[in-house]
Amino acid sequence: ISVFTPSFNTGRFIGQALDSIRSQRGPEGLENESIVIDGGSTDGTLELLARRRADLARLVVEPDGGPAAAINKGLRLATGEVLAWLNADDVYHPGALARVMEAFARQPDRALCFGRCRIVDEDGREIRRGITRFKNACHPFSCRALVQTVNYVSQPALFFTRRAWMRAGGLNESLTAAFDYEWILRLWRHGGAIRLGGAPLADFRWHA
């Protein structure tokens, strides 16, 4: 499984994101490829990344056209059969990647897998619980028609196959917002989704 992280002046949080990726490696033999795509940070992010270089399969530092362009760059560099991106201010919950890989092993023809995702503040405290409850209430009824009407798939808790990405194509770099939502709608056409119940897979950080 490959996880790539787009970054630009994210020094305040990216260490926590990378720690949460690294912690997924365990005695069960799960390996993950961690890639960081940085647009040329000037806030100390690069110094932090240099100290963590041994944990990264690839580190690319160069100007880009924004988040969608950085994510597409990560897609092209990733070598795993299952792929994901984790934004630099978000985190995975323990055991999340192992649960996802087990789900794909059971249903290998599915295009994507998603699960629950908390919303947290700058200090990691859960907030906006009503929004999370609403999204979770949609999960049992998941289908492409519903996700086209209600944007209830939380991107940090989204994983997808290389096969589906190659069929759907990359993110639309002309979009400055909702590029992930538009892309999920395309991705869903190429095998449908696995919905994982149980504990959250990730936290989405909501901050200024």
Side-chain angles (χ1 to χ4, degrees):
I1 184 166
S2 297
V3 180
F4 41 95
T5 301
S7 165
F8 184 70
N9 290 337
T10 57
R12 182 178 178 187
F13 297 115
I14 193 171
Q16 296 175 50
L18 296 179
D19 284 345
S20 78
I21 297 170
R22 185 176 185 274
S23 70
Q24 304 293 317
R25 303 169 185 167
E28 67 276 8
L30 176 68
E31 292 292 333
N32 62 64
E33 177 182 57
S34 182
I35 299 169
V36 173
I37 310 295
D38 188 275
S41 294
T42 58
D43 69 336
T45 299
L46 300 184
E47 290 78 5
L48 182 151
L49 292 174
R51 294 194 297 271
R52 294 169 175 264
R53 186 63 184 85
D55 291 331
L56 304 177
R58 296 287 298 270
L59 170 60
V60 177
V61 180
E62 61 188 17
D64 55 48
I71 294 163
N72 278 337
K73 194 179 298 182
L75 281 167
R76 292 190 293 268
L77 291 173
T79 65
E81 290 303 315
V82 174
L83 312 172
W85 77 85
L86 184 71
N87 294 310
D89 51 359
D90 300 334
V91 296
Y92 286 137
H93 282 225
L97 271 58
R99 292 171 59 200
V100 169
M101 295 302 284
E102 290 169 2
F104 275 121
R106 292 191 300 269
Q107 300 185 70
D109 295 332
R110 296 296 188 183
L112 59 101
C113 175
F114 69 93
R116 297 182 178 186
C117 182
R118 303 191 313 165
I119 305 172
V120 301
D121 66 11
E122 297 178 38
D123 299 313
R125 295 183 295 254
E126 187 173 8
I127 57 174
R128 299 171 63 86
R129 294 173 186 263
I131 298 295
T132 301
R133 283 195 295 269
F134 173 76
K135 288 188 171 189
N136 291 344
C138 293
H139 285 194
F141 311 102
S142 293
C143 64
R144 190 182 181 281
L146 180 59
V147 78
Q148 187 168 347
T149 307
V150 182
N151 182 10
Y152 60 86
V153 175
S154 296
Q155 180 277 314
L158 170 72
F159 302 80
F160 49 94
T161 66
R162 171 176 296 278
R163 179 187 65 255
W165 158 57
M166 295 183 71
R167 291 175 178 173
L171 279 69
N172 184 343
E173 297 182 17
S174 71
L175 298 178
T176 56
F179 46 79
D180 53 348
Y181 182 35
E182 186 272 341
W183 186 73
I184 290 169
L185 292 173
R186 282 189 280 126
L187 190 70
W188 205 295
R189 295 183 184 276
H190 300 283
I194 303 169
R195 176 190 59 82
L196 277 185
L201 295 175
D203 285 348
F204 168 76
R205 199 181 303 267
W206 181 276
H207 61 99

